Amino acid sequence: MSAASNSLLVGDWGTSSLRLWRLAPDGGVLAEARGADGLTTVADRAFEAVLERHLATLGAGSGEPVVLCGMVGARTGWVEAAYLPVPLDLAGIAPEATRVPGIRRPVFILPGLSQNDPARPDVMRGEETQLLGLAALEGGTPSGLVCMPGTHSKWVRLDEGRLSGFSTAMTGEVFALLRRHSVLAGVLDGQALADPASAAFVGAVRESLEAPAEVLSRLFALRAGFLLHGTPPSENLSRLSGLLIGAEIAAARSRWGNLDGVRLVASGAMAEVYLAALQAAGIHNPSVSDADACSRAGLLLAARRLTARSASEAAA
Amino acid sequence: MSAASNSLLVGDWGTSSLRLWRLAPDGGVLAEARGADGLTTVADRAFEAVLERHLATLGAGSGEPVVLCGMVGARTGWVEAAYLPVPLDLAGIAPEATRVPGIRRPVFILPGLSQNDPARPDVMRGEETQLLGLAALEGGTPSGLVCMPGTHSKWVRLDEGRLSGFSTAMTGEVFALLRRHSVLAGVLDGQALADPASAAFVGAVRESLEAPAEVLSRLFALRAGFLLHGTPPSENLSRLSGLLIGAEIAAARSRWGNLDGVRLVASGAMAEVYLAALQAAGIHNPSVSDADACSRAGLLLAARRLTARSASEAAA
């Protein structure tokens, strides 16, 4: 065993990236490995080799357990980890991890969640671990709405630590599609994200909220505005972002009602953009929790439990 | 001059296809040439060579005039034909055609239309010619709403032959993007269009109309429904189409009010799908006019006028 024998190895392995951490028992980050080795880039299903290469940079002992969350547990990932149906208590997530069979190292993949209501089928993988971490960081059993923006943004209803339902908006993916592949591509700036302080962004959020039905119509106006009035590409990008995030907030309001006090789980520029949008929408008292910190806290909690189990199984 | 010297050569040259017709003076189709030589496929700006190749199959005399509409007149096309600002009388479109300079054959490109309202900038190219044709086929100065579905669907308000305003929804393009490039691609059937008679299509249209704000959320449910309940790809395709067309109709209702009596300008399967959607939305007395027939009627009207001008200029 290494000198870091009380530390825990955890990771989030998604479609487009892999992040691994060695965490101290109190959750402090002792070391981190980040790679662009997302699941879609792994050739010939060489998941173990990719994982071991990154673990080596963290000085992982050969028998040290690792706990992973994210799309690694999808049908198209390494090993399918079952969906747990909601409603469920967040505390019930970790015990249901799936151990990767046929390899020496104990690698556990956390389950995803499913909403089986035929009128509102939905799934998540990775966000459940952030929610577990959010609850741990708050030190209680949270209630209220949580907004988790991204490629597929999740809005989650918590009731005293119980996840009662959620919805997904394809905001990030539609934004990327329109920007890369649509007739709008030529009129949009190549920068990563909107300027959340711009009038274009704030105005677009409000337009979407005032007439959410018209969002698909307002998209084409970005092109027409460029042709007729020479609207700058940076302004168009902020407008596109505002229209789509405004539509997401309108959808959340339609589905979940009053959004005051929503917890935003996001990092960096994404957190800034969504916080500005929530404020432009007139939502009171939104709070922000760092998404990476929530992921690590959730993984830590799961790892403590699973590692204890793994050790007791090894001793038995 | 050929035996068809009283006939007229006209065409619609768009981004992805070229269609040319030799029309009898009464509008009857004497010959047709269709090619996949859309504007984006023309190499080295060899527009004249591509056009002449297709005209040869119609037996065009070397000096016969041709009247074109569509994206051929865009900034990215052959020769830019100015946008005419709305509101305007449909009758004012033809006289503003642009003659292609520097070539022997008289080739006229009809103008597009622009809506310069800074709050609702919009443009069209090609649909204005269909509207001219619609008015000609109806033999009057129509009033009411017109729905022209497509990659960029147009909804147009006419007041006694005057076009007072319009809106564009990117329905067809968003449909194609989601189907080809998104996470939904794997759960959607490869067939061209929805089944307009299916419960999936009709139900999705109604869901979008009932909660238009939630359309972007309901898209992801297509993937989740496939993962959790094995929803068939053909049903998913009909549902996607219904959700997006329902959103377009909701946007039109939000923008234009009561949609009863809307004129649908569309052909083939597109006409069937949109008519079914309008009916599912509870819109009374929609009528259907064939889009190709409207294009030809509009081009014929413009060609009569422009050819007369061309002949009188040649005689002068």
Side-chain angles (χ1 to χ4, degrees), chain B residues 107-126:
Chain B
V107 175
F108 297 95
I109 301 179
L110 295 179
L113 302 185
S114 64
Q115 182 167 273
N116 294 319
D117 175 358
R120 297 192 179 271
D122 215 330
V123 290
M124 68 166 67
R125 278 205 190 272

Side-chain angles (χ1 to χ4, degrees), chain B residues 69-70 90 93 110-113 124-132:
Chain B
C69 70
L90 292 174
I93 292 171
L110 295 179
L113 302 185
M124 68 166 67
R125 278 205 190 272
E127 294 88 355
E128 73 296 323
T129 306
Q130 293 180 320
L131 291 165
L132 192 61

